[in-house]
Amino acid sequence: MTDSAASLTSLETPAAIIDTVRMQRNIRRMQARMDALGVRFRPHVKTSKCSEVVRAQILAGASGITVSTLKEAAQCFDDGITDILYGVGMVASKLPQALALRRRGCDLKIVTDNVDSARAIAAFGAEHGEAFEVWIEIDTDGHRSGIRPDEPALFDVATVLHEGGARLGGVMTHAGSSYDLDTPEALAAMAEQERAGCALAAERLREAGLPCPVVSVGSTPTALSANSLQAVTEVRAGVYVFFDLVMRNVGVCSTEDVALSVLTTVIGHQAEKGWAIVDAGWMAMSRDRGTQKQKHDFGYGQVCGIDGAVIPGYILSGANQEHGILSREGGMDSDIAKHFPIGTLLRILPNHACATGAQFPTYHALAETGEITEWSRLHGW
Amino acid sequence: MTDSAASLTSLETPAAIIDTVRMQRNIRRMQARMDALGVRFRPHVKTSKCSEVVRAQILAGASGITVSTLKEAAQCFDDGITDILYGVGMVASKLPQALALRRRGCDLKIVTDNVDSARAIAAFGAEHGEAFEVWIEIDTDGHRSGIRPDEPALFDVATVLHEGGARLGGVMTHAGSSYDLDTPEALAAMAEQERAGCALAAERLREAGLPCPVVSVGSTPTALSANSLQAVTEVRAGVYVFFDLVMRNVGVCSTEDVALSVLTTVIGHQAEKGWAIVDAGWMAMSRDRGTQKQKHDFGYGQVCGIDGAVIPGYILSGANQEHGILSREGGMDSDIAKHFPIGTLLRILPNHACATGAQFPTYHALAETGEITEWSRLHGW
């Protein structure tokens, strides 16, 4: 056992382990790519929700951050980050929170894709003497929110904001359907679709005499697959910081890049079924079964030894709240109790790092030296 | 809008709402049933992980509690509850925590189903002069852990504990596969299988001259379906306190019994697809898709008005981290933006209350008067 692995034996299980060597490598890889493509990089902190992780991203060269909740924005602002994009469509009821952050000095940008919210933002801003910076959300792949680049609504929303006294900061899009792809060609095509759609929206606004300084695109798969980011000013991505089995199946990382794992203990067996029972159930792994429809279904996760090395062919094939069922893929292990005795410590790589992280109030960050540090994680809204 | 519903408009979304009228009704129903069947009732607090909810269960007549983590045990003991069953198989590494609780006066019972852990419990107890009370876990439906009632290992484990100085407290089982059923006949048969198997294990131990005072069975579906609980001394159940859409599909509650919902706001539309976008994604609902294989697939949840009344035919058909996609089942709503305008507050009933609750640090408990109280929820291990 390496020194690094040995230090994990002191932890109670289940625990969320961050391999900081892998995490730093993932951060450097993405930042270097963005630097080479000549765009700013604005990581999405919804994956880690952790001050120490975000600090590492900023230190590596990130320009501001993206958040998925205003609570994340408040925490990151308290940590000294001012350039923050709240990436979920604004509604009237959340404007007081956004205003409060701006009044404290936070350079918070907000997002909308509809006239009703645009009107509410402009009216609330006028009432409080605050020119909100608003980015218009563009739909480049039909998977969720946003205005299609060719829709007339783009001008309606922009005009309401511009004439209502808000500041038109730019356009942003997220090609989340890239998660459904798994070939370099398809990913590159989706990256180009994301880029071209968002760039087109910006162009149309500018042609209409409206300001659109920022063109913001991104998802982890497209960010790592784009051949050109012409006309794009910044990229956003989240899950790359830890990666996970879904991203491994998409093809943008290897299993050996996954920086988040759940430390667990073997607590029992059903030997005649080839099962070992571990104390990481779905409460630890989350209910995310994102690899179910992908080319390799990892159940609730890939089993690794305490040193983080994959144990090929063994997955969490089932999960109850606090019980995980470990078994061999494609054929029973008739010697499961011998291979995984009671008390064995294992690390399970998750399907989806954002979902698994959310199950834990703290991460245990494991350094190359074996030193373990507790890093707090934000929970709730 | 009722007074009760009106008070919800003051909350930030997403928020986890407990309808306390429904919750109290669920608690009374289960306790009355257990009283009528002549058994003690030991609720599983893993569903709520909330002191106020557990207090209501105890006040209604519960005899002790079941926990899924030792952190729940510590919190409940701090709340004044001493009779606690830790329902997950004990391993050596958790014995110091268990010992610490017992030394503080907690009447903690622990569980095992294998000789290795039994030996560890006996040895650790002998070393520290502590006679742990141990219940042997019985497998009555093949879904997870436990020793089958007819396995010789039953005596091996019991003997190691008994001769090693531990206190044999009884046998316990959980027929979790009852969640896969959906007819009264199948549920009653599973309840009888659970009862008979656990009773048989107890009988065999007693015939061998070993003590077995407790015969503990239960799951919400079997507890509500058993016709006889002969030879059973206590029942355990968890999710009945809130119920959920999985339990509705199993057939042991109606949609109108579900006491947990997620308050959410409409933040956008994709009108040409018949989508409303809400601010409850999977981070709020959890990734649990428990109704996917059941007779009615509710996607990520059933849509209700702010008053809690079901809006028939509308579900969360998709979810990203902070975005839910609301749509009509079986056919597009071409007037979605008119039916669900921006800013509309809705309540979403969850597939699985245990999983949805876990996404929130606090519940908002809604009384019949409309009064809202924040109830804290335990997170992590």
Side-chain angles (χ1 to χ4, degrees), chain B residues 322-350:
Chain B
E322 296 290 346
H323 297 78
I325 296 175
L326 183 164
S327 66
R328 191 158 69 189
E329 298 172 280
M332 195 186 96
D333 178 354
S334 53
D335 243 355
I336 194 86
K338 192 175 151 199
H339 294 143
F340 299 96
I342 302 279
T344 305
L345 285 167
L346 300 165
R347 285 160 72 181
I348 315 294
L349 303 181

Side-chain angles (χ1 to χ4, degrees), chain B residues 285-364:
Chain B
M285 300 308 303
S286 90
R287 270 293 195 197
D288 200 297
R289 287 281 291 106
T291 59
Q292 189 169 20
K293 289 185 204 156
Q294 292 186 308
K295 53 185 161 192
H296 189 154
D297 182 352
F298 288 96
Y300 284 89
Q302 168 67 52
V303 176
C304 300
I306 192 173
D307 57 358
V310 166
I311 304 179
Y314 288 89
I315 61 169
L316 283 200
S317 53
N320 292 166
Q321 186 159 337
E322 296 290 346
H323 297 78
I325 296 175
L326 183 164
S327 66
R328 191 158 69 189
E329 298 172 280
M332 195 186 96
D333 178 354
S334 53
D335 243 355
I336 194 86
K338 192 175 151 199
H339 294 143
F340 299 96
I342 302 279
T344 305
L345 285 167
L346 300 165
R347 285 160 72 181
I348 315 294
L349 303 181
N351 286 321
H352 187 178
C354 309
T356 302
Q359 304 301 107
F360 291 85
T362 53
Y363 300 107
H364 287 84

Side-chain angles (χ1 to χ4, degrees), chain B residues 26-239:
Chain B
N26 296 340
I27 290 173
R28 284 195 306 271
R29 174 184 168 203
M30 181 64 86
Q31 187 65 50
R33 194 174 156 78
M34 295 301 107
D35 292 348
L37 284 163
V39 291
R40 291 193 300 276
F41 181 55
R42 182 187 293 279
H44 204 317
V45 309
K46 77 184 180 79
T47 300
S48 73
K49 300 202 183 202
C50 171
S51 297
E52 288 83 355
V53 175
V54 176
R55 191 177 306 135
Q57 292 169 306
I58 295 287
L59 282 173
S63 302
I65 58 167
T66 315
V67 297
S68 69
T69 66
L70 289 169
K71 190 169 179 178
E72 289 163 43
Q75 169 162 311
C76 291
F77 179 65
D78 288 342
D79 287 342
I81 299 168
T82 54
D83 180 358
I84 301 177
L85 170 68
Y86 171 46
V88 179
M90 179 51 62
V91 276
S93 55
K94 287 174 181 160
L95 283 166
Q97 282 177 274
L99 177 66
L101 276 165
R102 288 188 63 92
R103 288 274 159 88
R104 289 176 59 208
C106 178
D107 181 18
L108 182 76
K109 292 104 160 117
I110 59 177
V111 162
T112 190
D113 70 353
N114 63 81
V115 167
D116 286 352
S117 291
R119 281 203 191 106
I121 294 164
F124 186 84
E127 186 187 343
H128 293 89
E130 182 69 39
F132 283 103
E133 178 172 343
V134 187
W135 296 10
I136 299 177
E137 185 169 8
I138 307 299
D139 177 12
T140 52
D141 69 345
H143 89 288
R144 190 170 75 194
S145 302
I147 303 170
R148 288 192 311 276
D150 57 355
E151 271 185 282
L154 178 65
F155 299 108
D156 301 339
V157 171
T159 305
V160 164
L161 291 167
H162 190 59
E163 296 183 354
R167 198 143 54 90
L168 272 182
V171 286
M172 62 84 81
T173 194
H174 166 60
S177 59
S178 61
Y179 280 49
D180 302 330
L181 309 175
D182 63 4
T183 68
E185 298 72 27
L187 287 163
M190 181 57 74
E192 174 55 18
Q193 179 180 322
E194 182 184 50
R195 182 206 71 77
C198 206
L200 173 61
E203 202 181 306
R204 295 184 71 219
L205 288 174
R206 290 172 191 144
E207 278 172 359
L210 291 158
C212 187
V214 170
V215 180
S216 175
V217 305
S219 72
T220 288
T222 52
L224 293 171
S225 304
N227 293 316
S228 156
L229 287 174
Q230 204 193 338
V232 166
T233 64
E234 67 161 46
V235 168
R236 309 179 322 282
V239 77

Side-chain angles (χ1 to χ4, degrees), chain A residues 11-15 46-47 49 68-69 71-72 86-94 97 112-114 116-117 137 139 141-148 151 174 265-270 272-273 275 277 279 282-289 292-293 320-323 325 341-343 352 354-361 377 379-381, chain B residues 11-15 46-47 49 68-69 71-72 86-94 97 112-114 116-117 137 139 141-148 151 174 265-270 272-273 275 277 279 282-289 292-293 320-323 325 341-343 352 354-361 377 379-381:
Chain A
L11 299 181
E12 288 166 13
T13 58
K46 77 184 180 79
T47 300
K49 300 202 183 201
S68 69
T69 67
K71 190 169 178 179
E72 289 162 43
Y86 171 47
V88 179
M90 179 51 63
V91 277
S93 55
K94 288 175 181 160
Q97 282 177 274
T112 190
D113 69 353
N114 63 81
D116 285 353
S117 292
E137 185 170 8
D139 178 11
D141 68 345
H143 89 289
R144 189 169 75 194
S145 300
I147 304 171
R148 287 191 312 275
E151 271 186 283
H174 165 60
T265 306
V266 175
I267 64 170
H269 301 99
Q270 296 289 17
E272 76 289 353
K273 292 176 185 155
W275 292 357
I277 310 292
D279 68 354
W282 61 253
M283 185 61 83
M285 300 308 304
S286 91
R287 269 294 194 196
D288 199 297
R289 288 281 290 105
Q292 189 167 21
K293 289 186 205 156
N320 293 166
Q321 187 160 338
E322 297 290 346
H323 298 78
I325 296 175
I342 302 278
H352 188 176
C354 310
T356 302
Q359 305 299 107
F360 291 85
R377 191 185 190 288
H379 188 219
W381 289 265
Chain B
L11 299 181
E12 288 166 13
T13 57
K46 77 184 180 79
T47 300
K49 300 202 183 202
S68 69
T69 66
K71 190 169 179 178
E72 289 163 43
Y86 171 46
V88 179
M90 179 51 62
V91 276
S93 55
K94 287 174 181 160
Q97 282 177 274
T112 190
D113 70 353
N114 63 81
D116 286 352
S117 291
E137 185 169 8
D139 177 12
D141 69 345
H143 89 288
R144 190 170 75 194
S145 302
I147 303 170
R148 288 192 311 276
E151 271 185 282
H174 166 60
T265 306
V266 175
I267 63 170
H269 301 99
Q270 296 289 16
E272 77 289 354
K273 292 177 186 156
W275 292 357
I277 310 291
D279 69 354
W282 62 252
M283 186 60 84
M285 300 308 303
S286 90
R287 270 293 195 197
D288 200 297
R289 287 281 291 106
Q292 189 169 20
K293 289 185 204 156
N320 292 166
Q321 186 159 337
E322 296 290 346
H323 297 78
I325 296 175
I342 302 279
H352 187 178
C354 309
T356 302
Q359 304 301 107
F360 291 85
R377 191 186 190 286
H379 188 219
W381 289 266

Side-chain angles (χ1 to χ4, degrees), chain A residues 118 122 136 152-165 168 205 208 210:
Chain A
I136 299 178
L154 179 64
F155 299 108
D156 301 339
V157 171
T159 305
V160 165
L161 291 167
H162 191 59
E163 295 183 354
L168 271 182
L205 288 173
L210 291 158

